[in-house]
Amino acid sequence: MYGVRLQDPLDLAGWRRAARALRLGGVAPEQVAWRVGDASGGLFDGPPPPEPPSGAGFSAPRELLDLAADLVCHRSDDRFDLLYRLLWRLKDEPALLRITTDADVAEAHLRRKAVQQATHKMHAFVRFRLVNPAFEAAGERETYVAWFEPPHRVLTRGIDYFVKRMGRLAFSILTPDACAHWDGAGGLSFTPGLERREAPGEDELETYWRTYFASVFNPARVNPRLMTQHMPRRYWGNLPEAAVIPELAAAARGRTDAMVEAAPTPPSPRTGRVQVKRAPAPPPPDAAPADLPEVAAAIQACRRCDLWRHATQGVPGEGPPQAPLMLVGEQPGDMEDLAGHPFVGPAGEVLNRALAEAGVNREEAYVTNAVKHFKHELRGKRRLHSRPNGTEIEACRWWLQTERRLVRPKVIVALGATAATAVFGRALSVLKNRGVVGEVEGGGLGFLTVHPSYLLRIPEPGEKARAYDAFVADLAAAHALLKAA
Amino acid sequence: MATLTLRRKLEILADAAKYDASCASSGGRKRDSRDGQGIGAINGMGVCHAYTPDGRCVSLLKILLTNFCVFDCAYCINRLSSNVERARFSVEEVVRLTLDFYKRNYIEGLFLSSGVIRSADYTQEQLNLVAKTLRETHGYRGYIHLKIVAGASPELATEAGFYADRLSVNVELPDETALARLAPEKTPGEIKRAMGVVRLGIEGGKGRSYTGKTARVFASAGQSTQMIVGADAATDTEILARSESLYGSYGLKRVYYSAFSPIPDSSAALPSERPHLMREHRLYQADWLMRFYGFEREEIASAAPGGMLDPALDPKLAWALANRDRFPVNVNRADRELLLRIPGLGVKAVNRLIGVRRHKRLTLEDLRRASGGLKRVRPFVTTADWSPGGLTDSETLSARLAGAAKAAEPHQLTLF
């Protein structure tokens, strides 16, 4: 039987040195007793381990060293035994640490979890007290001190969190094991543990904190078991808010009963005095809007088909009220639906570029869509465009007719098949009929070309470029009609 | 009118804010004050600094700027016609409280909302001003969650996104026609438009501008929303359909479900009953199954007769019991997707088992160590040393597991 004495409870380096020597010396885990500090050893304290043969070596996996760094913080007495047992077994079972359901590995992970949780709870439950309220007058650095009793030795492991958030403020965290001190200017130091009586007393803000804690609690949801699961009683001694928990929990049932049984109260006298902005009532479904702003407002209340339900908003057309050129697309896409403007997504970019190359100023055209709400289906977390059907196109045609009646364009360019159906009132093959289609019922010369999103879907670069050039040529031709018309 | 003390205001305006379920401080761009220039940090994981006796986490100072409100939403304690005592914080008071609480490690940050006063724009300006003062005057780098007031201008919503880590707009009720009845001043359109503006801001903040500069960080912890459950007639499957549409349309990080709670001074328009906490819990479970376990909404709905999730069984177990022909699953061979369907195995347990089975054949003992309990798992799996035989199809299985489920999740059951 060998005995190893480590300097302090967190002596990871000491454990590594000894464990290395033990394993090289072929000493099995059952033959080692691990002790910490000067405490007198038990009956089984034996001689120190043999010196390893020089030049001999082995490498321990990184994972074990990481695990060891966490496990030394655990307050169990046999943590060093467990770690050495893992190191020993790795000799014959190199994949051991990946078998996380092995009894030893699972036990190590449970303890690591306890250490991680204790660290997390320290971040949560440390309560600082301001120790120099007159710091400004005294020309001192604002300084906070906390007393804390972690279930595991996690002060060093978790101190970074406080340094990061306190910045230029100075603080100390005092615990029975050790104390940490941050000077607010880059200096972090540690001193030995203290007793509770050396920690500062009340802070006047604690009254406010208790008030907040009590007020944010909803008695109708009382569930003390869930609370203690997350905030175990062992921490309560150092939490100023814990003092009010018993009375809050005790009164909860009575408060809830009172709310449930109370009759509704009559409206407050303030009610009549305050001017309330009611939502504008939707216009009657067939009232013809008198101008474009009215169109934009009325589209939001449109219920001519069901597409409004899953869309963010109706997207009206945009452009000069007397634009000679009107461009009609299919329907708003994902981006248009969010922004509330037509052609602002990827297809809009293609359109803008093509218009510029065709010498057409988009600002001079009235740009709109055949269908005003975004029709889509959900695919995972994305909305995929789906083509509006005949009923929806027909329902929305009323809006396009209204826009045409108000704008009175000389030339109307339908972009793609849906727009063709809406503009010409019948289905037309785009590629067979592209170019001038003829006079449109209700006025204006009708022109048909592809939808810019069609260009985005062509995979072959050469073909894509040719199709794009043809699109630009179409836009230029439609624009030229304005002079002729 | 007598002036209220700061403590009394805190009491009123925390009480007024507590019906909003969200208190998360997770996400957000990591940053700290090590450089000595500011105060506060964000670690990305979030920290719950306390738990109230309802078991809810207190992570943020969650308050209203004011509970004066010109809206009259029947479900809300702060509605115009409520007789509740009113208060209003000054911008400076909220800033002081936030910093004082933050320095003492009570909170991770601020969650600020408000009743609507004067107009949506005016209210939003006041909320933004608090965040701006914290960030610019005090160098505050901790977490800020701001409410977007539906109807506020896109410019103000965008400004809020530059100061806040998270933004939220509450859809309030799953059913839009019920919203028109119970919250007559709110319109679903305004709520959806506000969420659209936020999504555009978030997506703009992730990219680089055409000059190659990184765009200004915008609400890096994303956006969330809340639905009140039980104040209208929407069924669970209708609520889940609404969530699915909201997640997909606006890239939400979270949809919070908040069981309609009785309030002091209730309105005649709504029944005052105890909150349906179990219903809320089941909705969260179903939401999780859809987002992290690969379940389709239709699959969950198929095990929810009448559109309502079974209160006695978690939705995954209910689905498994209704689809027993898919079981038992051989845990040594099944792919990840199928392992996630096994009742009692969470994402972490599945990941562990996949790691372990590369090295050895899985036994029941491995499952026990990976999952922490076998009661729900056993009827649905085969392992190297276990086959459920007739157990999977046993007629009494449902009843027995309902009992086991009850024991396994005590925290959300009826409390009285």
Side-chain angles (χ1 to χ4, degrees):
Chain A
M1 196 75 190
Y2 296 97
V4 179
R5 191 161 292 282
L6 300 169
Q7 276 182 1
D8 61 70
L10 298 174
D11 187 6
L12 181 60
W15 174 81
R16 279 181 71 170
R17 248 191 329 272
R20 194 182 123 80
L22 288 164
R23 196 178 120 172
L24 285 171
V27 181
E30 308 79 56
Q31 295 175 290
V32 191
W34 299 87
R35 299 275 181 271
V36 171
D38 306 325
S40 59
L43 288 172
F44 302 108
D45 246 9
E51 280 300 309
S54 64
F58 65 91
S59 62
R62 179 83 241 165
E63 287 158 273
L64 182 72
L65 300 179
D66 288 345
L67 202 53
D70 283 343
L71 252 60
V72 293
C73 304
H74 199 273
R75 242 181 249 279
S76 52
D77 288 332
D78 64 343
R79 61 194 184 283
F80 293 111
D81 302 73
L82 174 60
L83 283 169
Y84 183 58
R85 202 156 58 241
L86 289 172
L87 181 69
W88 179 259
R89 288 182 59 195
L90 276 166
K91 193 158 63 167
D92 297 323
E93 304 167 71
L96 176 64
L97 295 181
R98 261 154 277 151
I99 303 174
T100 50
T101 53
D102 171 88
D104 283 336
V105 180
E107 176 59 28
H109 279 279
L110 276 180
R111 292 191 198 183
R112 162 182 262 181
K113 203 171 160 191
V115 167
Q116 288 170 337
Q117 196 169 39
T119 310
H120 191 71
K121 293 301 182 194
M122 176 173 75
H123 296 162
F125 299 147
V126 156
R127 296 287 181 263
F128 284 119
R129 287 168 168 169
L130 179 62
V131 291
N132 55 346
F135 64 90
E136 257 164 333
E140 292 170 352
R141 196 177 282 273
E142 196 174 343
T143 303
Y144 292 85
V145 178
W147 168 254
F148 192 65
E149 294 163 290
H152 299 291
R153 298 180 183 91
V154 294
L155 180 67
T156 319
R157 189 181 186 279
I159 198 66
D160 208 37
Y161 167 83
F162 298 100
V163 169
K164 283 177 172 170
R165 70 185 259 147
M166 296 299 264
R168 62 186 141 83
L169 311 175
F171 73 83
S172 294
I173 297 175
L174 318 178
T175 84
D177 309 310
C179 303
H181 313 277
W182 168 252
D183 64 6
L188 179 66
S189 58
F190 293 89
T191 56
L194 289 173
E195 285 182 47
R196 186 190 197 131
R197 59 186 153 78
E198 297 178 69
E202 275 260 302
D203 180 314
E204 66 164 333
L205 254 295
E206 286 171 7
T207 325
Y208 287 80
W209 173 237
R210 273 191 289 270
T211 299
Y212 173 69
F213 180 80
S215 306
V216 85
F217 160 60
N218 181 353
R221 301 179 63 100
V222 67
N223 192 341
R225 222 186 325 175
L226 184 59
M227 170 184 62
T228 41
Q229 189 182 317
H230 293 301
M231 193 166 77
R233 281 172 198 273
R234 64 159 69 208
Y235 292 104
W236 290 18
N238 297 317
L239 293 170
E241 66 272 27
V244 298
I245 291 174
E247 60 180 273
L248 287 177
R253 187 177 178 164
R255 287 172 67 192
T256 311
D257 287 345
M259 285 190 287
V260 171
E261 281 151 26
T265 46
S268 136
R270 287 174 63 245
T271 315
R273 294 200 300 269
V274 175
Q275 198 68 43
V276 180
K277 184 209 87 174
R278 296 274 165 187
D286 289 318
D291 55 24
L292 292 173
E294 269 188 31
V295 171
I299 278 175
Q300 303 311 333
C302 179
R303 302 290 182 267
R304 289 172 174 271
C305 74
D306 239 17
L307 291 183
W308 65 275
R309 277 184 198 283
H310 298 288
T312 300
Q313 54 194 324
V315 180
E318 280 179 2
Q322 252 80 58
L325 179 65
M326 179 181 274
L327 300 176
V328 183
E330 184 193 55
Q331 64 164 350
D334 186 46
M335 302 307 272
E336 288 81 7
D337 171 76
L338 300 179
H341 304 291
F343 283 105
V344 292
E349 279 176 36
V350 176
L351 178 66
N352 288 348
R353 195 150 48 87
L355 283 172
E357 285 182 34
V360 185
N361 183 358
R362 176 168 164 173
E363 304 300 310
E364 287 169 20
Y366 186 88
V367 180
T368 189
N369 281 301
V371 171
K372 310 298 189 208
H373 281 101
F374 176 34
K375 183 176 181 183
H376 59 272
E377 46 185 307
L378 285 173
R379 276 280 176 279
K381 286 188 175 177
R382 297 179 58 198
R383 300 191 293 180
L384 293 188
H385 164 278
S386 51
R387 185 182 270 254
N389 62 33
T391 321
E392 288 149 356
I393 297 171
E394 189 50 38
C396 218
R397 213 168 158 231
W398 188 85
W399 291 109
L400 184 62
Q401 311 270 41
T402 306
E403 285 174 307
R404 281 179 50 206
R405 176 171 57 78
L406 295 169
V407 178
R408 302 188 154 280
K410 287 183 185 163
V411 174
I412 306 172
V413 179
L415 304 166
T418 302
T421 310
V423 171
F424 303 109
R426 62 199 154 99
L428 284 178
S429 158
V430 176
L431 295 179
K432 280 185 197 151
N433 299 284
R434 76 190 290 169
V436 178
V437 177
E439 198 67 20
V440 184
E441 194 190 318
L445 188 57
F447 191 100
L448 179 59
T449 183
V450 297
H451 193 278
S453 67
Y454 158 78
L455 303 172
L456 290 169
R457 289 194 299 267
I458 300 174
E460 204 272 307
E463 195 189 333
K464 196 183 193 109
R466 281 190 296 279
Y468 176 77
D469 290 342
F471 181 56
V472 173
D474 276 354
L475 292 175
H479 190 232
L481 291 174
L482 291 177
K483 286 166 205 150
Chain B
M1 192 170 69
T3 341
L4 298 173
T5 63
L6 183 60
R7 214 180 127 193
R8 180 70 188 133
K9 286 189 193 176
L10 179 61
E11 200 170 359
I12 294 169
L13 295 169
D15 187 89
K18 73 185 173 195
Y19 300 95
D20 204 309
S22 164
C23 199
S25 54
S26 53
R29 187 178 51 92
K30 285 188 192 177
R31 52 188 189 261
D32 63 60
S33 298
R34 243 180 222 287
D35 60 5
Q37 300 302 308
I39 172 167
I42 284 196
N43 68 2
M45 283 164 35
V47 177
C48 291
H49 283 273
Y51 292 84
T52 41
D54 43 18
R56 283 184 161 186
C57 148
V58 180
S59 183
L60 305 172
L61 172 62
K62 178 163 63 179
I63 46 176
L64 299 192
L65 191 57
T66 176
N67 64 340
F68 284 101
C69 191
V70 297
F71 283 13
D72 202 32
C73 311
Y75 49 80
C76 183
I77 186 173
N78 306 310
R79 68 186 183 284
L80 174 65
S81 59
S82 159
N83 295 284
V84 75
E85 187 176 1
R86 308 282 170 167
R88 180 177 178 176
F89 278 129
S90 69
V91 168
E92 201 42 48
E93 284 170 335
V94 177
V95 168
R96 275 258 64 83
L97 273 175
T98 306
L99 291 172
D100 281 344
F101 277 16
Y102 193 87
K103 289 171 180 174
R104 284 159 181 80
N105 208 44
Y106 300 162
I107 52 168
E108 279 301 282
L110 172 69
F111 176 7
L112 189 63
S113 180
S114 183
V116 180
I117 41 173
R118 288 196 224 172
S119 68
D121 276 352
Y122 174 77
T123 309
Q124 192 67 53
E125 273 167 26
Q126 295 296 303
L127 295 179
N128 291 1
L129 188 56
V130 171
K132 185 181 177 179
T133 311
L134 276 168
R135 294 280 190 237
E136 292 180 357
T137 313
H138 298 276
Y140 171 75
R141 296 168 186 178
Y143 199 87
I144 297 181
H145 177 164
L146 283 187
K147 190 62 74 182
I148 296 296
V149 183
S153 75
E155 291 72 26
L156 286 168
T158 303
E159 185 190 52
F162 291 141
Y163 296 121
D165 297 283
R166 168 162 290 184
L167 300 175
S168 61
V169 193
N170 285 355
V171 298
E172 307 292 9
L173 297 176
D175 175 14
E176 294 191 353
T177 45
L179 187 74
R181 183 166 51 86
L182 296 173
E185 295 85 11
K186 294 201 179 206
T187 68
E190 278 181 342
I191 293 168
K192 289 196 277 192
R193 275 199 293 279
M195 291 198 281
V197 169
V198 174
R199 192 190 125 190
L200 285 174
I202 290 169
E203 288 176 359
K206 277 182 191 153
R208 281 166 188 278
S209 68
Y210 65 95
T211 55
K213 282 185 197 153
T214 314
R216 194 169 166 191
V217 177
F218 184 98
S220 56
Q223 69 168 324
S224 60
T225 193
Q226 167 168 299
M227 275 191 262
I228 299 169
V229 175
D232 64 19
T235 62
D236 289 345
T237 46
E238 284 166 351
I239 291 170
L240 292 172
R242 187 81 206 278
S243 300
E244 191 177 49
S245 158
L246 291 169
Y247 279 120
S249 301
Y250 308 110
L252 299 181
K253 283 278 187 266
R254 280 288 290 276
V255 171
Y256 288 92
Y257 304 98
S258 180
F260 177 59
S261 171
I263 47 175
D265 208 66
S266 61
S267 152
L270 280 171
S272 195
E273 7 174 287
R274 294 179 198 288
H276 297 266
L277 298 180
M278 184 47 95
R279 187 175 176 204
E280 176 188 293
H281 181 58
R282 294 286 180 240
L283 282 167
Y284 276 120
Q285 290 178 316
D287 180 292
W288 243 247
L289 290 181
M290 281 159 52
R291 290 195 295 142
F292 306 116
Y293 287 77
F295 278 76
E296 295 289 333
R297 180 166 51 81
E298 290 75 16
E299 293 179 298
I300 293 167
S302 72
M308 297 304 280
L309 299 166
D310 188 339
L313 295 170
D314 76 72
K316 192 173 168 187
L317 185 53
W319 176 83
L321 287 168
N323 292 275
R324 296 194 208 188
D325 55 314
R326 309 270 297 260
F327 296 97
V329 167
N330 182 336
V331 292
N332 280 299
R333 282 211 297 266
D335 58 14
R336 190 167 189 281
E337 210 174 314
L338 202 51
L339 291 176
L340 284 171
R341 297 271 163 156
I342 301 170
L345 294 186
V347 174
K348 272 188 193 160
V350 165
N351 290 343
R352 261 178 99 170
L353 291 174
I354 290 173
V356 172
R357 75 181 182 182
R358 291 197 189 106
H359 303 283
K360 62 170 293 219
R361 299 245 298 141
L362 297 173
T363 62
L364 266 193
E365 186 57 18
D366 291 308
L367 260 63
R368 193 183 59 76
R369 290 218 178 93
S371 69
L374 285 179
K375 219 162 196 173
R376 273 183 296 168
V377 182
R378 215 192 286 261
F380 300 102
V381 294
T382 54
T383 66
D385 59 345
W386 164 260
S387 164
L391 185 57
T392 315
D393 296 314
S394 151
E395 279 174 27
T396 57
L397 184 60
S398 203
R400 265 188 288 159
L401 288 175
K406 203 164 180 168
E409 28 180 313
H411 56 280
Q412 279 285 349
L413 288 160
T414 319
L415 303 153
F416 298 103

